[in-house]
Amino acid sequence: MKRGTTINKKSNRKWKTIKRTNKISRRKVKQTGTTKLIEGMQPKTLDYLKKDYLEKGLDKIRDTFVLYRIIGNDLYPRHQKGQTLRNLQFILEHESVLENCEKRWIVNRIIDKEVEQAIIALLKKFHQEFIHIPFLEEDYKKIGLDTSFLPNSNYLKSNKYTSMNQERKKRLLAAIFRKKNNYVMNVNGARNAALRDGKTRGKWILPWDGNCFVTQTAWKKIYLEVISKPHLKYFAVPMTRVLDNTQLLTDNFIPVPVEEPQLIFRWDSKEEFNEDFWYGRRDKVELLWRLGITGVWDDWTSDFWDSKPLPKSVEAGQYGVAGWVARMFSGMKTLEKNSKQRNITRFEAIIKTIQYLDKNVVKHSSMSDVLVNQILKKKMKRILRTNK
């Protein structure tokens, strides 16, 4: 697609060794206590993948990379207002040319039209190619709340609900907004848009979050790891958080890449992100599970209202680990240091954003939506007072 393109809405035996590998990896992760990624395949299976790679003639295709970064809405109080535009400008001004890598962007359903125009103007100023996915009020107005997972219509007034801790209550309330969340944040929809477009442009596609910054040192590690093991269809790139973006401009920056990884896809890979999973609730982890990419998420439990992941992929285990990438500063220092509070605040930001849109965009709702919104408003005020 050309710069400024707008998208409008109108197991078989070979993989038996994977299960044992995953068990070994999980034990190692538990021992380290961090997001330590371990490559997935046994030697016999690797021999098959290498043979398959050569038989398909993929060794004759040049290793080109297409890096997409998805620019979304600032979600206060999870993000500081204006951080998206500031971080975009920092990347455009300071990130180096990356070897054999084309850079592209997804402008993903920005609510504030002035902010959206500023983002697009900045991308054009730096001659960047991008896909524009607009936020359309008429589409948003058609989306209702989702209470289908609640055991009964009075569940939010029941003892089972009121006995939940505050963090779990926020997760449940955010789940009621999940359909609206999926439209506004469109996190996996945008990743898949990048993935599909990228497969027409390069051998390796990187559908990454908008605040990812790639230093020359990091890129060399990523690039060399990928081209040394091209028979693998996926690569996990661990992430390190920074509290000051200028740290990334120094030669002595030492990363601590223990955060949930970004992913690289070979152009013939089969898997995509599951668009039933909404922003803030394992939107990327669902794919990590299906691909057998081990980490602390292997021990996470689910709530009864969570979306169900798809079955394990036939390509599970066909991944490597490559280098690292930096997650730029969100503007909220205390949250960057506290993952639990970061998650709680993310749910709060999701709910506040959608409540704002319902008030200012929808204006008219069905009686059931009005009723649930009234309940949610009371519940949220009580929860927020408790957290202060």
Side-chain angles (χ1 to χ4, degrees):
M1 294 184 183
K2 295 181 179 179
R3 175 160 59 96
T5 300
T6 297
I7 296 178
N8 285 301
K9 186 182 175 187
K10 295 270 164 204
S11 250
N12 69 40
R13 192 182 298 176
K14 297 185 184 85
W15 314 120
K16 283 186 177 179
T17 55
I18 294 171
K19 190 173 182 180
R20 179 175 176 273
T21 304
N22 288 343
K23 287 181 179 178
I24 293 170
S25 298
R26 279 196 291 273
R27 284 201 298 272
K28 291 182 180 179
V29 169
K30 288 178 182 178
Q31 288 168 5
T32 62
T34 65
T35 306
K36 183 176 177 61
L37 298 172
I38 300 168
E39 296 189 6
M41 303 304 290
Q42 293 289 341
K44 187 181 292 187
T45 310
L46 284 173
D47 289 341
Y48 165 78
L49 293 178
K50 291 175 181 178
K51 181 181 177 183
D52 185 62
Y53 181 78
L54 295 174
E55 288 178 347
K56 289 180 177 178
L58 296 177
D59 58 314
K60 296 178 175 62
I61 299 175
R62 183 166 165 256
D63 287 299
T64 56
F65 297 74
V66 190
L67 168 59
Y68 293 82
R69 274 166 287 201
I70 299 161
I71 306 170
N73 294 289
D74 290 331
L75 296 180
Y76 183 83
R78 171 58 191 95
H79 308 126
Q80 188 178 70
K81 293 177 180 178
Q83 62 92 31
T84 294
L85 198 56
R86 286 193 297 272
N87 283 347
L88 172 60
Q89 182 153 358
F90 185 89
I91 293 171
L92 295 174
E93 290 179 350
H94 297 290
E95 190 177 79
S96 302
V97 173
L98 306 177
E99 182 180 2
N100 288 337
C101 182
E102 177 185 358
K103 299 179 186 180
R104 289 176 170 265
W105 304 83
I106 307 283
V107 181
N108 185 34
R109 292 203 176 131
I110 306 299
I111 298 166
D112 188 316
K113 295 305 177 186
E114 290 185 6
V115 172
E116 182 180 64
Q117 290 171 8
I119 288 170
I120 290 174
L122 190 58
L123 290 171
K124 288 181 176 179
K125 177 182 177 182
F126 283 84
H127 309 290
Q128 300 292 296
E129 301 289 340
F130 64 91
I131 294 172
H132 177 210
I133 305 177
F135 173 81
L136 301 175
E137 291 189 359
E138 290 307 311
D139 287 344
Y140 181 78
K141 288 178 181 179
K142 299 173 186 176
I143 304 170
L145 301 177
D146 182 10
T147 58
S148 62
F149 58 86
L150 296 177
N152 57 68
S153 59
N154 293 317
Y155 188 78
L156 293 176
K157 299 177 182 179
S158 69
N159 290 334
K160 286 187 177 180
Y161 175 80
T162 56
S163 62
M164 290 181 188
N165 62 38
Q166 302 303 323
E167 181 181 0
R168 195 157 187 249
K169 284 180 179 177
K170 280 190 180 181
R171 294 203 302 269
L172 187 148
L173 298 180
I176 290 176
F177 284 133
R178 63 176 138 204
K179 291 182 179 179
K180 293 172 181 283
N181 179 338
N182 248 346
Y183 179 79
V184 179
M185 315 311 174
N186 192 38
V187 59
N188 281 346
R191 286 169 175 159
N192 286 338
L195 189 53
R196 293 162 193 165
D197 187 65
K199 286 185 175 184
T200 69
R201 301 180 184 281
K203 186 174 179 179
W204 301 96
I205 302 90
L206 294 69
W208 287 6
D209 298 340
N211 284 325
C212 287
F213 186 96
V214 189
T215 67
Q216 275 295 333
T217 300
W219 182 247
K220 286 177 183 177
K221 290 179 180 293
I222 293 169
Y223 182 80
L224 292 175
E225 191 67 34
V226 172
I227 66 171
S228 69
K229 299 177 181 178
H231 51 279
L232 299 175
K233 290 185 178 179
Y234 304 89
F235 284 86
V237 182
M239 194 164 62
T240 186
R241 291 183 182 272
V242 298
L243 298 179
D244 180 355
N245 291 342
T246 61
Q247 292 177 276
L248 300 170
L249 306 180
T250 63
D251 293 333
N252 58 355
F253 174 71
I254 301 175
V256 184
V258 296
E259 301 289 338
E260 187 179 297
Q262 301 292 311
L263 293 173
I264 300 176
F265 299 71
R266 204 171 71 195
W267 73 273
D268 61 331
S269 58
K270 291 181 170 61
E271 297 302 330
E272 292 189 340
F273 295 92
N274 188 340
E275 295 183 29
D276 286 338
F277 276 66
W278 41 277
Y279 169 76
R281 192 61 176 167
R282 303 169 183 176
D283 45 90
K284 193 194 307 160
V285 164
E286 191 273 347
L287 181 53
L288 300 182
W289 282 335
R290 283 192 280 131
L291 291 175
I293 299 177
T294 58
V296 293
W297 44 85
D298 288 336
D299 296 320
W300 290 353
T301 58
S302 295
D303 295 311
F304 73 79
W305 56 79
D306 283 330
S307 299
K308 301 296 183 268
L310 295 172
K312 185 68 71 73
S313 170
V314 296
E315 295 177 337
Q318 298 184 41
Y319 72 91
V321 181
W324 57 273
V325 62
R327 168 61 163 82
M328 299 171 69
F329 186 40
S330 69
M332 298 297 191
K333 186 170 291 188
T334 56
L335 298 180
E336 298 298 332
K337 296 178 179 180
N338 187 327
S339 61
K340 183 176 180 179
Q341 189 58 43
R342 185 164 66 238
N343 290 334
I344 293 172
T345 306
R346 183 181 294 116
F347 287 122
E348 179 185 329
I350 291 167
I351 293 168
K352 284 186 172 182
T353 299
I354 293 172
Q355 285 183 313
Y356 168 82
L357 287 172
D358 282 356
K359 180 179 179 181
N360 293 278
V361 174
V362 178
K363 296 179 182 177
H364 300 288
S365 301
S366 69
M367 287 304 294
S368 60
D369 282 6
V370 171
L371 178 61
V372 175
N373 268 313
Q374 287 173 345
I375 294 172
L376 290 178
K377 189 173 182 181
K378 293 176 183 177
K379 300 287 184 187
M380 278 306 301
K381 283 183 178 179
R382 194 177 304 129
I383 290 170
L384 295 176
R385 281 200 301 269
T386 304
N387 287 340
K388 287 181 180 179

